[in-house]
Amino acid sequence: MFPVHLALLVFAAGPADGAAVLPEPAGDPVRGYEVLRSKPLLPPDFDRETLLRLGLTWAPEERAKAKAAGEAERIAMAFSRYGLVAPPPNDPIGGEVLNYVETPDGWVMNCFACHGGKVAGRTIPGLPNSHYGLETLTEEVRTVKLLTGKPLGHQDLGQMKIPAGSSHGTTNAVVFGIVLDAFREPDMSVNTGRHPGPLLHHDMDAPPWWHLKKKSRLYIDGFSPKNHRVLMQFMLLPSAGRETVLSWEDDFRDVLAYIESVEAPPYPYEIDEKLAATGRGVFERNCTECHGMYADDPAAETYPELTVPIEIVGTDRRRLDALTVPHRRHLGTTWMSRYGEDPVVEDPGGYVAPPLDGVWATAPYFHNGSVPTLAGVLSPDERPTLWRRSEDGYDTQRVGLEYEEVSEVPDRDARFVFDTRRADLGKTNAGHPFAAELTANEKRALLEYLKTL
């Protein structure tokens, strides 16, 4: 077999015309999880001491409660405020937190920051973290560091130039990727003199990882090839030089194997089987063209991976516009796409209809997280304009987050409220009109069937 280290040299130099493309070695999903949980791929964001002092920045009542609390309670309060979660029971790595790698120098963000959340109080690795308050956490960590004389880190400084997200549960991740990608030459050499071009800040809801095994391309617009190199995108701080990035190849091959091993969680509540059977018929008549067919036997399932033009799906388009043709084209010239061997779609023109496995758990819905329930997806008049979710509540009737509709955005802790009026941040909740012709009974049956996927 061709040695892996020689293959890396071939790819790093760019493939010669007519050169054979070597088969990729299989990744190890067990090691992939260990990499995510144990290997610090970024500098630390904060230490445990800073986390315990974050109550200094809170409103008076919460600040007093934190001051009187012991360590365990203060940690729990911080986790609740910022959307951090403990590892699931019997986790092989253990530790206090799923979303960060715990090191002697501090806590280092990992991929579970956005892709490790909880639903109905249960932690699920690979679930979008609909609680994560990265902007709030970063602001308050920076304040405590300034108060206590600790040095500021890359996240503290970077957030002063690039917003991290305007509501809890969403982040400005696409723009993070654009900026980090801009600092790389095609061979992954660092060049901080390159300009990223126009930046359209907007909020995104992370996709569930268990969808990836069904897809051949990455991201909501499907522009990127699915390979392990592209998964390194958010680790590409300029402090990681070319040789460091290339040395992570096997790590991210294993990470991709882990992501593709993640299974959708089964619906944990009672299902009306008779109503769900009726709903299956509604689904097959109305939804399969975009979202595919589902069955107990995976071999009987289909998934079309269909890109729906933005004019037809009608959901918020700021995410589509944020990545320009030059942004996408650059990826097609680099080591990350094997210098174009893995093709890039430069102008996708719309969004890919996702698989619906485990859809009950993945609220809020749409790529920007603007709709808290599946009932709202089916009926636009059930979509709240301003809403705040509860921490662990689940709505089994409307299928999705338990939420409170509010009349205004508060002056303090405004990011706990999702404001769908903010078109300038890609937060609108219009679009997906495809259930308009269904009756109320058909929608009720369809919701019951979606619980079974």
Side-chain angles (χ1 to χ4, degrees):
M1 180 179 291
F2 201 99
V4 171
H5 69 280
L6 293 181
L8 288 180
L9 293 176
V10 171
F11 290 142
D17 289 343
V21 178
L22 300 172
E24 281 295 311
D28 178 351
V30 173
R31 184 176 179 275
Y33 185 73
E34 293 173 352
V35 168
L36 291 174
R37 291 292 320 283
S38 305
K39 186 167 184 173
L41 298 167
L42 296 168
D45 287 338
F46 50 84
D47 57 22
R48 195 170 186 277
E49 180 184 14
T50 297
L51 188 71
L52 286 166
R53 291 181 173 179
L54 288 176
L56 294 171
T57 68
W58 300 347
E61 183 177 344
E62 287 78 16
R63 183 164 65 244
K65 183 179 178 182
K67 185 177 180 180
E71 281 196 12
E73 187 177 356
R74 272 186 282 163
I75 291 287
M77 292 175 70
F79 275 32
S80 174
R81 179 169 178 81
Y82 306 115
L84 309 183
V85 297
N90 304 315
D91 183 86
I93 306 299
E96 284 188 283
V97 63
L98 177 69
N99 320 99
Y100 287 76
V101 176
E102 301 168 50
T103 77
D105 296 323
W107 286 17
V108 178
M109 186 189 297
N110 63 26
C111 297
F112 288 117
C114 295
H115 294 277
K118 61 178 180 175
V119 60
R122 173 189 168 195
T123 295
I124 302 177
L127 177 74
N129 189 354
S130 61
H131 294 82
Y132 193 34
L134 178 58
E135 179 95 350
T136 303
L137 174 59
T138 303
E139 282 184 351
E140 295 178 0
V141 162
R142 183 171 60 240
T143 299
V144 170
K145 287 180 177 179
L146 291 172
L147 288 172
T148 57
K150 290 182 180 290
L152 299 182
H154 77 282
Q155 186 71 26
D156 308 311
L157 298 170
Q159 184 261 355
M160 297 171 73
K161 295 182 178 180
I162 300 175
S166 66
S167 63
H168 286 209
T170 60
T171 67
N172 193 21
V174 172
V175 171
F176 304 161
I178 290 171
V179 172
L180 294 175
D181 187 52
F183 293 156
R184 297 285 167 168
E185 296 293 346
D187 69 349
M188 294 291 102
S189 299
V190 176
N191 179 358
T192 56
R194 294 185 73 246
H195 194 276
L199 298 177
L200 291 181
H201 299 300
H202 63 285
D203 287 348
M204 278 289 295
D205 181 32
W209 273 352
W210 53 82
H211 285 178
L212 195 62
K213 64 172 66 71
K214 287 189 169 183
K215 302 180 78 170
S216 64
R217 310 194 63 76
L218 294 178
Y219 306 129
I220 184 65
D221 60 2
F223 93 94
S224 171
K226 181 175 77 172
N227 69 32
H228 57 279
R229 295 180 179 185
V230 174
L231 299 183
M232 300 182 194
Q233 182 178 21
F234 297 105
M235 309 299 166
L236 297 180
L237 292 182
S239 56
R242 177 178 181 273
E243 296 305 320
T244 297
V245 172
L246 268 58
S247 76
W248 291 338
E249 174 115 27
D250 285 340
D251 292 330
F252 278 86
R253 185 178 287 112
D254 293 336
V255 167
L256 178 57
Y258 166 71
I259 293 173
E260 293 200 311
S261 76
V262 175
E263 298 290 340
Y267 186 73
Y269 305 109
E270 185 177 350
I271 295 175
D272 182 332
E273 299 293 347
K274 184 176 180 180
L275 186 61
T278 301
R280 182 185 183 97
V282 177
F283 182 88
E284 291 179 353
R285 290 190 298 272
N286 294 276
C287 309
T288 57
E289 181 180 355
C290 293
H291 294 290
M293 294 279 289
Y294 299 81
D296 293 335
D297 178 7
E301 294 194 349
T302 63
Y303 173 60
E305 200 168 3
L306 181 69
T307 298
V308 184
I310 188 65
E311 295 81 9
I312 293 175
V313 68
T315 50
D316 195 292
R317 67 172 297 139
R318 193 170 175 91
R319 159 63 180 81
L320 187 66
D321 297 336
L323 275 172
T324 65
V325 168
H327 288 144
R328 294 186 177 95
R329 183 175 294 151
H330 177 64
L331 178 61
T333 70
T334 72
W335 176 86
M336 298 184 78
S337 67
R338 300 180 224 280
Y339 301 97
E341 286 289 329
D342 298 341
V344 170
V345 179
E346 294 183 359
D347 189 8
Y351 297 135
V352 178
L356 297 180
D357 310 78
V359 68
W360 72 270
T362 62
Y365 300 102
F366 294 172
H367 67 277
N368 59 4
S370 59
V371 180
T373 66
L374 283 175
V377 172
L378 300 181
S379 300
D381 59 348
E382 291 198 32
R383 300 174 189 173
T385 301
L386 300 171
W387 56 273
R388 181 205 314 264
R389 65 162 300 170
S390 68
E391 181 163 1
D392 291 327
Y394 189 83
D395 189 330
T396 59
Q397 298 303 307
R398 292 183 287 188
V399 190
L401 304 181
E402 178 185 75
Y403 70 90
E404 170 193 8
E405 191 164 4
V406 300
S407 59
E408 60 183 3
V409 178
D411 293 333
R412 189 178 182 95
D413 290 341
R415 297 189 194 103
F416 285 91
V417 171
F418 196 107
D419 185 353
T420 66
R421 301 170 302 182
R422 296 297 304 272
D424 60 316
L425 293 172
K427 301 182 79 67
T428 60
N429 64 3
H432 197 277
F434 309 118
E437 303 302 318
L438 299 182
T439 67
N441 286 339
E442 286 175 321
K443 290 178 181 179
R444 191 157 49 247
L446 179 54
L447 285 175
E448 202 68 14
Y449 172 65
L450 291 173
K451 297 175 183 178
T452 71
L453 301 183

